[in-house]
Amino acid sequence: MATDCLFCKIASGEIPATLVYEDEQVVAFHDIEPQAPQHLLIIPRRHIRTTLDLTAQDESLVGHIYRVAAKLARQFGIADDGFRLVNNCNEAGGQVVWHLHFHLLGGRRMTWPPG
Ligand code: AMP
Ligand code: ZN
């Protein structure tokens, strides 16, 4: 665990969050500032700073995160209408929390191109 990492603290339970899913590898919870009627964050328990820090050993982890996203999309009723699964990487990509995370957004029509 990285000291001073908000999402490490959420994964360990040190900081409370509304968890919607957890297993040995990942945790998912409601975003505190939702940008859509459904806005969940899916994070690895292990501290990984950005997408650029992923290694070959993380391939199954990322696949697992996608499968958890699909399960949650169905569970939260946004699978059939459609949803967006987003990873913001580095500053110009909009990343503000430096622990890898995927936004699962749904419940409204998304626009393209994204802002
Ligand atoms: P990003 O801009 O991709 O780094 O996204 C970080 C996200 O974390 C934002 O959507 C925030 O609203 C969300 N966030 C920040 N603090 C918390 C928290 N304590 N619990 C849940 N979500 C949070
Ligand atoms: Zn962390």
Side-chain angles (χ1 to χ4, degrees):
M1 166 166 164
T3 52
D4 265 10
C5 171
L6 173 66
F7 286 179
C8 279
K9 288 178 179 168
I10 286 178
S12 72
E14 191 180 332
I15 288 180
T18 323
L19 298 194
V20 294
Y21 178 85
E22 63 178 321
D23 62 28
E24 326 78 61
Q25 295 187 85
V26 309
V27 173
F29 49 94
H30 286 284
D31 195 294
I32 206 166
E33 222 176 289
Q35 301 301 316
Q38 300 295 349
H39 185 173
L40 304 177
L41 296 174
I42 306 165
I43 68 170
R45 283 190 184 274
R46 185 161 54 84
H47 184 79
I48 300 171
R49 194 167 179 274
T50 79
T51 289
L52 296 167
D53 299 298
L54 289 164
T55 69
Q57 282 70 48
D58 298 319
E59 284 181 7
S60 65
L61 170 67
V62 176
H64 182 60
I65 287 172
Y66 268 75
R67 298 250 299 144
V68 169
K71 173 189 163 69
L72 289 171
R74 290 193 183 93
Q75 187 181 324
F76 281 80
I78 57 175
D80 288 345
D81 282 349
F83 59 90
R84 194 164 284 176
L85 187 60
V86 179
N87 166 245
N88 298 329
C89 185
N90 274 349
E91 272 182 55
Q95 185 170 6
V96 298
V97 176
W98 301 95
H99 178 130
L100 181 70
H101 54 278
F102 292 80
H103 298 257
L104 176 62
L105 298 140
R108 68 167 168 84
R109 179 161 286 275
M110 301 294 155
T111 58
W112 194 264

